[in-house]
Amino acid sequence: MVQTIISGVIFGLCALMMLGIGISQLKSKRPVAFYSGEKAPSEDEISDIKMWNRKHGTMWIIYGIIIILAWGCGFIIGDSILLLFPMVIGLIFPVIVMIWYHRKLIKIYKVK
């Protein structure tokens, strides 16, 4: 039971950080970065800053929700090797999808 509480707190804090990143990106007036070490594009480089920020912020909020759902699935599964499936699907796979989606957004909104 103790490990369930500790993992819930850790997953909850991680989810809150992702939700916080998403909310801050939704409210930003300047173009946001993906947080992958790259610099945020300048305002001249993005055709629609509001949609760029909205899509990036929504992406991070969805990731925070997926983290919570992954923990919930892990809680339901219990102490089993099957616990790896929601952890991998809920934590690692979304990051790969987010990288792909960010690159797609660059192609859509970056001024050539």
Side-chain angles (χ1 to χ4, degrees):
M1 185 65 173
V2 172
Q3 53 270 55
T4 303
I5 294 170
I6 292 172
S7 69
V9 168
I10 292 170
F11 273 70
L13 289 173
C14 290
L16 282 175
M17 285 190 290
M18 301 309 148
L19 293 170
I21 291 170
I23 291 168
S24 70
Q25 287 188 345
L26 285 174
K27 293 183 176 187
S28 179
K29 302 293 182 204
R30 301 183 71 217
V32 296
F34 178 63
Y35 292 103
S36 62
E38 68 183 11
K39 286 186 168 187
S42 68
E43 294 179 17
D44 303 345
E45 294 177 307
I46 301 295
S47 61
D48 188 350
I49 297 170
K50 185 175 182 179
M51 285 306 294
W52 169 269
N53 291 349
R54 181 179 293 163
K55 290 185 178 189
H56 275 85
T58 303
M59 177 174 58
W60 284 100
I61 290 171
I62 290 170
Y63 185 45
I65 292 168
I66 290 172
I67 290 172
I68 294 167
L69 293 174
W71 181 84
C73 289
F75 178 75
I76 291 169
I77 291 171
D79 194 17
S80 167
I81 192 70
L82 298 175
L83 180 65
L84 289 174
F85 289 111
M87 296 305 129
V88 170
I89 292 170
L91 298 176
I92 298 171
F93 183 69
V95 172
I96 295 167
V97 172
M98 289 169 65
I99 292 168
W100 168 80
Y101 188 63
H102 173 68
R103 290 183 181 177
K104 181 180 174 183
L105 292 176
I106 289 173
K107 289 178 183 175
I108 294 170
Y109 292 106
K110 197 140 188 186
V111 176
K112 296 170 174 77

